[in-house]
Structures are given as structure tokens and as C-alpha cells.
Amino acid sequence: MACPTQLSWALVVLYLWQPFLVFSQPLVERAKIVDSVSQLKKQYDYVIVGGGTAGLTVANRLTEDDSVSVLVIEYGPLDKLEPEVLVPGLPAPKAYSRNYVSVPQPGLLNKSQAVYSAGVVGGGTVINGLSENFTPPPPELAEYPISSDLGPHGTIGPVGSSFPQYQYPILSKIDTLNDDQKDADSSENLQRRLTLSCRYAELFYKAWNSIGVPSNPQPNGGRAVDAFYSTLSITAWNQSRCSATTAYYRPIEGKRQNFHLLPLHSVTKIVIDKKSKRATGVQFLPRNGTQAVQSPRQNQTQVIPSVQAKQEVIVAAGAPRSPQILQLSGIGPRKLLSSLDIDVIEDLPGVGHNFQDQPTMFTGVTYDYSKYPSPSPGLYFSDPTWVDQQLQIYYENRTGKFSRHQERDNLLMTEKGPDTQAYLSGTTVAFLSLRRLTNEYQKIIASAKKTDLAKALPAGIDRTILEGYKAQQAAILADYGSPDTGVHELAFAGGETVALVVLKPLSRGSILINSSNPLDDPIFDYGTFQHTVDMQVAIAMYKKFRQFVAAEPWQAVGMRETRPGPSVMGDAAIELAIRNITQSTWSHP
């Protein structure tokens, strides 16, 4: 996507960031970045492994007490306030990602899958979908399925949450304006700005309503089902991304001396006293360190930097890395650790197991563009001039296309390797309960209860893992029977890709080390579709997608299925197509 060409990068950053500084500086003091290991103290009260969402939040709260010292060690850098970080509609810099590849997945025709992870201070809140200090929509929009009720939201915290200004349905009184008039009027008044051009949303809700799925104006009140607008993590007053960094670090950067942040370093091991089994500190290396790391029981010729923790070591390295750190530290399955010559501190077979994510089908549609509400979604990817114009609108008044999150690059793993597919996302979503999804929901639940769960896990799995798995399935099946719990998500933003997400899969995978070298990546196995009921749910999802496409509001603009295509008929063919177009992750490990 083209970057702004008419404003200097520095001025863009200053303009985006200034409102946040004005509102946030008086709230808290500032923290300190530690640029080198030599600046570290020998001991802190708390050492936090990972500076993502959880790590920064906990560190901020702990250091409100100036007698408590905290060190956060983060693999990634601190972002530079780039437009790609602050503007909701720009794709995040790829330099802030830390991605991996899974082992081949039998449930997906033996294709390997991407494992998405953040490598930046603030973690996934900096690069992922913007999905609080809630700012309600204006009263002019009360007639639409958007609630202004503050009850389910926080209103005094540092995390911004609001509806993007390009996400509301169009008002009938401006339906007849041509594109030139819409651009000219885009800054005339709030009501017109909020409702210009986002016409696909009107069709989205009408289509769902026409097939029996109601609109839900308040999904944040404990019942997130049916068709609704989802809020984004956006600072309402300047329509910029609100991340853990903007909420919990930058407001205190440089002043709160008891909060130290060491970026661009990776924790390699938690130091644990073998007798008391108490964590006393951590070892770490520079992110790009080339130090040879020998077997833990060999005499090491090189001293690895370490720091002590007086109170606790808090592991917040995210789903992809936390199991690895624990296993390297001697906490995990005894058989695995012993095979890698790692001293066993605590035999916990479950560490690294129970890995789960949400399998996602990326289906395709197209339209009769002579009837499709302008502007065409293809302009995002085909017209740099139009993109620059929309960016200019955003920078001038915080409206237009880029006030809403857009996904542009979706990495799909194919038989020929990674394939990048552009698609749009937004906050018009449908979360359907199983009983809303299919009339056969009771049959699916009964099938799950009859499943031999041992066959859905690797052979020889520890008994405690199997028992935990049984308990999880029982809890999830209770949700399957509830009309108030979504098991399926359809995310759509008017483009040519529709994401279908299995929200509550029953399959489980693992993240296990196969080396004692902390510089080696662990082995990622999603276990996608290893539980047969996940495929039954996926087939029901695909059939519901076809009902959505066939709904009269979409047929009026010529919507038709392109991927996998209308020729795919019958459950066996649908299952094969699903295995071919599904990726293991919705970036929610």
C-alpha cells in the first residue's frame, strides 16, 4: 500500500501522536529504556519475560509503587511511531513480526502452516487486528445496530476503544450522491463523514437478517453473537491505533526510574534454585547474538548475561515462546527434557501441550461491479493514486478508508510454499452459535461426546494431559449447546475474501523443543482437524456462508462464490475443499 507522499513522515508522526501526549502525560510518570546490559541493575524485584500486552500491563501496574523495581526484557524493538503503526488502515511493518512455520498438518493435506507472532514492544497490539477507555458513537447513529451503552466498557483506563469512523452504514439521504460529491462533502459535518461510502455494511446486515440472523447492537455486554459491529482499539480523539505501548509504556517513558525496559534481547532460561524450586532470575542474550550455546551439562566457556529477581520472574512471552522458555529452564515433560540433557526441575507433562488456535477458511467472492456500491474494494490494491487520496483524507480529518483496519497480506501455506493473498478485513462480523449455524447442532454435540479423545492426541500421551483434554471438551460442549456463545465467525469488509473462523475448536497441538539451544526454534504442531467434530463444524460453516452469499441483498449486486467455487457439492467434496483452503491460525494462538 502506498505511503503518504504529500506530508513529511516526521510531521505525520507528530500530528498523530500529539493528542495522545496531551491527554496522557499528566496521568503517570515516565519509564526508562535500558540501551545496554551494562546499564542494568544486578537485581530487580520483578523480572518480566516479554514486553507484549501482558508484560507491559503488569509492569506498569507494579511500578505505580515507586519502591518496586521492574525489568521487562523484550525480543523486539520499540516502534518508531511510524504511520504504519499508528494509522489503522496501513499494514504494520513486517520488521515487527516474528513468524515461524509449523510441521506439516495431516488435517490440511500435509501442508505446513504459518505461526504468527509479534517481535516488538507492545506485542500483537502493535501489529494485529485492532480488535479500554470506550468512546461511544454519536447519537445520530442510534438507529443502527451500534449501542452507545457504556455499561459493558471501561471508561477511565488508558486503553482506547471506539468504532472507526468508516464503519457505519450509509444514510439513505446521501445514497444518491456521486463519488465526487462524496469526496467533496467528506469533511462537511460529523454525521456525513461517519456514514460516507461504507455501503457494503448495509448489505451485510440486510443479508444476515434475511436468512434469520438478527443484528446485535451490544456484543460487549456478555452476549457476543449474531451480526454486529466490533469496536477497534482506536484512540477516539485522533483515530490512531491504541496499543499496549501507547497505553502502558509511552505515557511513562523516560521518567519512572523503577521501570526498566531492555528491548532487542531474548530470555534463554529462568534461573531456578533446585532445592527450593524458586525462580531467582533469568539468563538472556542479544536478539542477534551469535554466541554458541552449549549443552546445559557441559562446561560453558562463555558467560551468558543474567539478572536476579528478588520477588518473582513473570513469564509473558506469548503462546509461541513461553513453553520453550519453561522447557529450557527444566520445567516440562521429564522424558523430553532428559533426552536433551536438560536438568529436570519439575516434571510437568502438560508444558508445551494443549496448543490451540482457530482454523480459518479464506473463501472468495466476486460481484457485478456495475451494481456494486462505489468505491470498488479492488481500489485498495490497484490504484495508488486513490490510496494516497484516502490517506490525505485521513491525515486531514481522521475519516475515510484508513480510519478502519485493513488487512492486505495474508500468508497462506500451500504445497508450493508460502503464498501471499491480499484481502480486506473490518469490524462487520457475525458470530453464530452452533444452533444458529446448523439445525444438526445436537447431532454434532452427540458425535463429540462419543469421540475417543486419545485418538485425537499423539500416541502415548501422558494420562494427565488426556484427562485435562476431556475436561476441556466437556466445558466447550456446554458452549456448543448455548444460544449465547459463538462457535463460528464470519469476518467481511466488502472485499473479495470472506474469512470463516472456527472459534472453539476441539483439536489440540503442541509446542515442544527439540534442542537445548535457545537460539533454535521449537517445533510447532497445530493438530488442525485432528478432532473429527471440528470438520463437522467447518462444513456447517461453509454451508452457512453459501446461504449468506445467496441472500437477496447480495444477489442484487451480483455476489457469487469464487473460492472454492459453486461446483463443489456434497459433504465429501466440501471437506476436501476446506482442507485445501484452510490455514491453522486466525493469529490467536
Side-chain angles (χ1 to χ4, degrees):
M1 181 173 292
C3 289
T5 57
Q6 299 179 357
L7 297 176
S8 75
W9 182 84
L11 287 177
V12 167
V13 170
L14 178 60
Y15 182 55
L16 283 170
W17 189 242
Q18 186 178 14
F20 186 84
L21 291 178
V22 170
F23 279 84
S24 297
Q25 275 186 336
L27 297 179
V28 282
E29 294 180 327
R30 296 180 180 177
K32 176 183 178 181
I33 288 185
V34 179
D35 295 321
S36 68
V37 175
S38 63
Q39 295 177 315
L40 292 176
K41 300 193 297 184
K42 291 183 178 181
Q43 184 183 74
Y44 293 82
D45 290 311
Y46 297 88
V47 175
I48 299 178
V49 182
T53 307
L56 290 187
T57 304
V58 172
N60 182 293
R61 297 295 175 83
L62 286 172
T63 53
E64 288 175 355
D65 181 345
D66 59 13
S67 69
V68 174
S69 60
V70 174
L71 170 65
V72 175
I73 302 177
E74 164 57 36
Y75 171 85
L78 185 67
D79 70 77
K80 300 181 178 68
L81 296 175
E82 300 96 320
E84 291 83 359
V85 168
L86 296 175
V87 179
L90 290 177
K94 293 183 178 181
Y96 296 155
S97 296
R98 188 186 188 188
N99 300 331
Y100 316 93
V101 176
S102 77
V103 296
Q105 298 296 291
L108 298 177
L109 308 180
N110 286 319
K111 291 181 291 187
S112 294
Q113 299 291 304
V115 181
Y116 298 110
S117 175
V120 62
V121 175
T125 62
V126 176
I127 66 170
N128 200 356
L130 303 165
S131 36
E132 75 179 350
N133 181 353
F134 177 65
T135 300
E140 293 89 344
L141 296 168
E143 64 185 280
Y144 297 108
I146 308 170
S147 173
S148 298
D149 181 16
L150 296 177
H153 304 273
T155 55
I156 60 174
V159 180
S161 173
S162 65
F163 293 98
Q165 296 195 17
Y166 187 72
Q167 201 61 47
Y168 307 111
I170 192 163
L171 293 179
S172 58
K173 71 176 183 178
I174 58 172
D175 258 345
T176 57
L177 293 181
N178 61 42
D179 291 337
D180 291 338
Q181 288 173 311
K182 290 171 184 172
D183 290 339
D185 291 340
S186 62
S187 60
E188 181 178 325
N189 60 62
L190 177 63
Q191 183 169 328
R192 293 172 75 84
R193 291 204 309 269
L194 291 176
T195 57
L196 284 174
S197 302
C198 193
R199 305 180 66 175
Y200 81 89
E202 184 176 358
L203 301 178
F204 179 87
Y205 291 104
K206 286 182 177 179
W208 280 119
N209 297 164
S210 72
I211 60 174
V213 177
S215 301
N216 180 359
Q218 184 50 283
N220 299 296
R223 190 175 180 274
V225 290
D226 301 327
F228 58 86
Y229 284 105
S230 175
T231 57
L232 297 183
S233 296
I234 291 176
T235 305
W237 54 81
N238 70 356
Q239 288 292 296
S240 65
R241 175 190 286 265
C242 184
S243 67
T245 312
T246 62
Y248 291 113
Y249 183 73
R250 279 211 160 86
I252 59 174
E253 182 181 3
K255 189 175 181 182
R256 196 185 286 183
Q257 297 300 318
N258 58 331
F259 183 167
H260 284 183
L261 170 65
L262 180 65
L264 297 172
H265 284 74
S266 181
V267 169
T268 60
K269 181 180 179 181
I270 303 168
V271 179
I272 302 174
D273 181 87
K274 294 182 180 179
K275 185 175 181 179
S276 66
K277 294 187 178 181
R278 179 183 176 277
T280 60
V282 300
Q283 295 179 348
F284 56 91
L285 289 173
R287 169 172 165 168
N288 297 320
T290 58
Q291 292 95 327
V293 181
Q294 302 183 25
S295 172
R297 291 179 183 170
Q298 295 177 358
N299 294 324
Q300 295 193 9
T301 59
Q302 191 169 23
V303 177
I304 297 177
S306 64
V307 65
Q308 297 177 4
K310 184 178 179 180
Q311 298 292 337
E312 295 179 9
V313 173
I314 300 172
V315 180
R321 282 291 177 172
S322 293
Q324 178 193 31
I325 293 170
L326 291 172
Q327 293 163 14
L328 290 171
S329 305
I331 301 173
R334 179 182 297 276
K335 183 177 180 180
L336 172 66
L337 303 186
S338 298
S339 71
L340 297 173
D341 207 25
I342 296 174
D343 287 333
V344 179
I345 302 297
E346 188 69 27
D347 179 18
L348 289 179
V351 173
H353 289 280
N354 198 41
F355 180 41
Q356 52 194 288
D357 205 331
Q358 298 165 325
T360 303
M361 293 176 269
F362 287 92
T363 58
V365 296
T366 189
Y367 312 87
D368 179 346
Y369 283 107
S370 67
K371 301 177 181 178
Y372 189 81
S374 180
S376 163
L379 292 176
Y380 281 106
F381 315 115
S382 63
D383 191 337
T385 300
W386 181 85
V387 168
D388 280 344
Q389 290 172 347
Q390 289 297 315
L391 279 168
Q392 187 70 22
I393 291 172
Y394 173 82
Y395 291 133
E396 288 177 354
N397 57 42
R398 294 301 187 272
T399 61
K401 298 287 187 178
F402 290 94
S403 66
R404 183 190 69 193
H405 173 62
Q406 312 294 341
E407 290 284 356
R408 296 196 69 248
D409 297 318
N410 172 45
L411 182 64
L412 299 176
M413 301 302 296
T414 69
E415 294 177 354
K416 298 181 180 180
D419 174 47
T420 299
Q421 175 189 11
Y423 75 102
L424 302 176
S425 71
T427 62
T428 42
V429 296
F431 281 28
L432 304 187
S433 66
L434 188 61
R435 61 176 64 195
R436 183 82 75 185
L437 184 65
T438 174
N439 292 330
E440 297 185 342
Y441 72 95
Q442 291 179 325
K443 181 179 178 181
I444 291 176
I445 294 173
S447 176
K449 291 179 177 179
K450 294 177 182 179
T451 300
D452 182 354
L453 293 183
K455 294 182 179 179
L457 296 175
I461 199 75
D462 187 87
R463 176 187 58 82
T464 59
I465 297 173
L466 179 58
E467 291 303 312
Y469 188 24
K470 292 177 180 179
Q472 286 185 59
Q473 175 171 279
I476 292 174
L477 292 184
D479 287 338
Y480 274 23
S482 169
D484 299 327
T485 303
V487 302
H488 158 53
E489 176 184 354
L490 183 146
F492 181 60
E496 295 183 345
T497 301
V498 184
L500 311 180
V501 187
V502 182
L503 290 177
K504 291 187 176 295
L506 294 172
S507 300
R508 296 293 181 265
S510 61
I511 302 175
L512 301 171
I513 58 174
N514 69 341
S515 166
S516 61
N517 188 336
L519 302 181
D520 293 338
D521 292 335
I523 303 300
F524 296 92
D525 183 359
Y526 284 107
T528 306
F529 290 138
Q530 290 306 293
H531 195 300
T532 56
V533 166
D534 286 348
M535 179 54 70
Q536 294 178 38
V537 173
I539 291 173
M541 288 166 47
Y542 179 68
K543 291 178 178 178
K544 182 63 73 172
F545 156 72
R546 282 187 160 174
Q547 292 180 37
F548 174 71
V549 172
E552 190 280 329
W554 285 125
Q555 290 307 298
V557 294
M559 179 188 274
R560 60 185 185 277
E561 176 189 343
T562 60
R563 176 182 166 92
S567 64
V568 177
M569 301 296 293
D571 284 1
I574 291 173
E575 177 177 336
L576 180 61
I578 288 173
R579 294 189 189 280
N580 190 50
I581 67 173
T582 296
Q583 68 176 35
S584 294
T585 177
W586 190 224
S587 299
H588 297 156

